[in-house]
Amino acid sequence: MRVLILGGTTEASELARLLAADPRFETTLSLAGRTSKPRPQPVRTRTGGFGGPDGLAAWLQQEAIEAVVDATHPYADQISSNAVTACKQLAIPLATIMRPAWQPLPGDTWLTVASAEAAAEALGSQPRRVFLSLGRLELGAFARSPQHRYVARMIEAPEGVVLPRDIKLIFDRGPFDEPAEATLLKDEKIDVVVSKNSGGAATYPKIAATRKLGIPVVMIARPHKWHGHTVEKAEGAMMWLEQRLAHRAIPVSARGV
Ligand code: NAP
């Protein structure tokens, strides 16, 4: 079965690993190309946009793809909408890995806002020391709140983004643990963290560290993400693919179609 994984996440890499070990599947992993040195993958990889839903549909047809797994990040809403449109158009089955959102626990102080711009606004007029745990493209929103001192961590340097005047950039791709996150927040004298609600374990230690240190979090809410059949993890997507394979093996007459 020819499978496309829309990737850029831990779950996508995990699913690629599971599929690479199974000769019943021929897999392509697609990356948007946001990082110049992505981690090596055990399956064929393609990089860059498809050119909207029509471009994606054309690519799926050309590659004779039989199933798509959207394993993109919870905040990547455009590609998910494109995947729903293209798969519907071609009647290709689509599953979406929907990573559950983090929920506030006792001791957490979260202010939920709709966007990076709203987060910058929510920081207020008094100067604060802010840790930005965001993608590099979102940093531009904070240039309009120059009264704060920012620390931002990212995989690689932002290009074409106007940064806030007072910002320290830390380049790291993780994983991070809670003690290291707490040390970073303390060393940088951070008094507020801005984060997306990415869900999952990989970036949660910073949230656990804010709880421990009593630091508030401005949490940018998730966008609406269009989806196919939903699963929570790579293993769920693998089971769904196996079911599709079994379904395909049954003759059409026996399926009553
Ligand atoms: P987006 O807003 O949903 O997508 C913007 C455009 O980028 C899409 O229309 C598509 O271009 C292209 N694209 C996105 N994901 C792609 C993929 N896997 N393969 C090929 N093209 C892709 O997405 P985004 O927020 O810019 O995120 C880009 C990628 O980074 C995603 O793959 C996502 O999983 C990963 N990521 C995002 C975040 C985040 O916070 N947004 C965090 C971690 C990782 P065309 O219309 O030309 O096809």
Side-chain angles (χ1 to χ4, degrees):
M1 177 179 254
R2 291 175 67 80
V3 177
L4 171 69
I5 308 172
L6 295 166
T9 57
T10 316
E11 288 87 347
S13 302
E14 176 65 14
L15 182 59
R17 196 181 59 74
L18 293 172
L19 286 170
D22 191 329
R24 295 174 298 168
F25 298 99
E26 243 179 279
T27 308
T28 303
L29 173 68
S30 176
L31 299 172
R34 302 283 185 265
T35 47
S36 57
K37 285 193 199 104
R39 290 179 205 276
Q41 298 290 337
V43 296
R44 176 185 160 211
T45 303
R46 68 161 299 286
T47 305
F50 295 94
D54 292 344
L56 176 57
W59 189 93
L60 292 172
Q61 219 162 12
Q62 182 193 313
E63 295 289 326
I65 296 296
E66 298 165 271
V68 176
V69 177
D70 176 3
T72 57
H73 192 268
Y75 287 76
D77 52 347
Q78 186 58 55
I79 186 69
S80 297
S81 160
N82 295 354
V84 167
T85 306
C87 288
K88 203 169 179 180
Q89 192 184 318
L90 300 173
I92 295 176
L94 168 70
T96 308
I97 301 183
M98 301 278 268
R99 200 191 280 169
W102 299 318
Q103 301 300 329
L105 296 178
D108 281 328
T109 310
W110 291 5
L111 173 68
T112 301
V113 297
S115 62
E117 289 72 20
E121 192 79 11
L123 293 173
S125 53
Q126 291 306 309
R128 300 173 86 177
R129 295 181 67 99
V130 186
F131 182 62
L132 299 176
S133 177
L134 299 173
R136 57 205 159 120
L137 298 179
E138 286 123 355
L139 300 184
F142 297 86
R144 279 183 290 166
S145 297
Q147 66 276 32
H148 308 297
R149 177 126 212 247
Y150 297 96
V151 177
R153 180 172 59 203
M154 63 204 62
I155 296 173
E156 57 195 67
E159 273 171 27
V161 179
V162 180
L163 294 175
R165 174 174 73 203
D166 187 351
I167 188 165
K168 174 176 172 181
L169 301 179
I170 299 174
F171 299 107
D172 206 343
R173 117 187 286 165
F176 311 103
D177 63 22
E178 189 190 323
E181 294 292 58
T183 302
L184 174 69
L185 296 177
K186 274 194 280 192
D187 286 354
E188 297 290 346
K189 300 185 176 57
I190 296 298
D191 48 41
V192 58
V193 169
V194 181
S195 176
K196 291 184 192 172
N197 193 330
S198 296
T203 57
Y204 190 72
K206 66 169 180 261
I207 302 295
T210 60
R211 185 183 314 126
K212 196 168 175 188
L213 299 173
I215 296 174
V217 178
V218 178
M219 192 67 88
I220 301 173
R222 289 181 169 197
H224 174 74
K225 196 166 168 81
W226 292 100
H227 58 84
H229 172 82
T230 57
V231 295
E232 284 192 7
K233 294 183 173 167
E235 289 79 6
M238 190 68 196
M239 276 171 59
W240 177 81
L241 285 167
E242 282 171 345
Q243 282 161 8
R244 304 308 315 171
L245 200 60
H247 183 73
R248 200 185 59 168
I250 301 170
V252 169
S253 55
R255 273 192 253 146
V257 180

